[in-house]
Amino acid sequence: DGLAINKYLDPEPLDGHRGDNDHIYMRFADVLLLAAEAINRSNGGPNAVAYEYVNRVRNRAGIADLTPGLDQMAFEDALLEERALELAYEGHRKFDLIRTDQLVDVMAERGIDITREDYLMPIPQSILDELGWTNNP
């Protein structure tokens, strides 16, 4: 047997019945961490509110407060790490790395060669053809 991620496993359907769990689209932890990131970026560094938001997420998970006194870049790095751990297997990591322009470097550390062009999700040629658009501007 292999490993499996059971983060949002609904045990009801396993017994042959339909599960009626609500689907999670955005978690409060995600909102808090995004707000902390926005504060950090808009203020040129973190303030008490940004730390409060991150620490609410950490404390809920039983983790001590984030190290105080971080500069803007150190806070962003700590915040991205926090998002990676808190939101694991929820599909946020790639977009977090794209948003912060770190995807190329992180993938290079793992031996994966990509460029910034790989950030894009091109429109399929069949759709372009259907719309009568060409690839040439």
Side-chain angles (χ1 to χ4, degrees):
D1 293 333
L3 298 175
I5 303 304
N6 294 326
K7 193 167 189 176
Y8 294 116
L9 180 66
D10 179 1
E12 293 244 347
L14 298 178
D15 66 7
H17 297 93
R18 183 180 176 278
D20 291 323
N21 279 358
D22 291 335
H23 295 279
I24 297 170
Y25 291 103
M26 188 167 204
R27 296 198 298 120
F28 188 52
D30 188 11
V31 173
L32 289 171
L33 295 173
L34 284 172
E37 180 181 340
I39 291 168
N40 183 50
R41 285 176 171 237
S42 64
N43 289 335
N47 62 17
V49 175
Y51 272 98
E52 175 190 344
Y53 290 167
V54 174
N55 289 334
R56 284 180 71 178
V57 175
R58 292 175 64 90
N59 296 161
R60 184 220 19 98
I63 303 170
D65 287 352
L66 186 62
T67 304
L70 298 175
D71 66 17
Q72 185 177 20
M73 288 307 299
F75 186 85
E76 182 172 290
D77 290 343
L79 187 59
L80 284 173
E81 179 69 16
E82 194 68 36
R83 287 184 59 80
L85 297 171
E86 176 67 27
L87 305 172
Y89 302 104
E90 295 181 28
H92 296 278
R93 183 69 172 160
K94 177 182 177 183
F95 298 104
D96 287 346
L97 294 174
I98 289 172
R99 185 178 65 254
T100 58
D101 198 24
Q102 296 183 33
L103 184 63
V104 171
D105 294 336
V106 169
M107 291 294 102
E109 290 170 6
R110 289 159 176 78
I112 301 170
D113 185 30
I114 65 169
T115 67
R116 293 192 83 232
E117 291 174 353
D118 295 313
Y119 288 12
L120 305 175
M121 295 182 201
I123 300 171
Q125 186 62 49
S126 61
I127 300 296
L128 294 175
D129 292 344
E130 185 179 311
L131 295 171
W133 295 357
T134 66
N135 285 331
N136 300 323

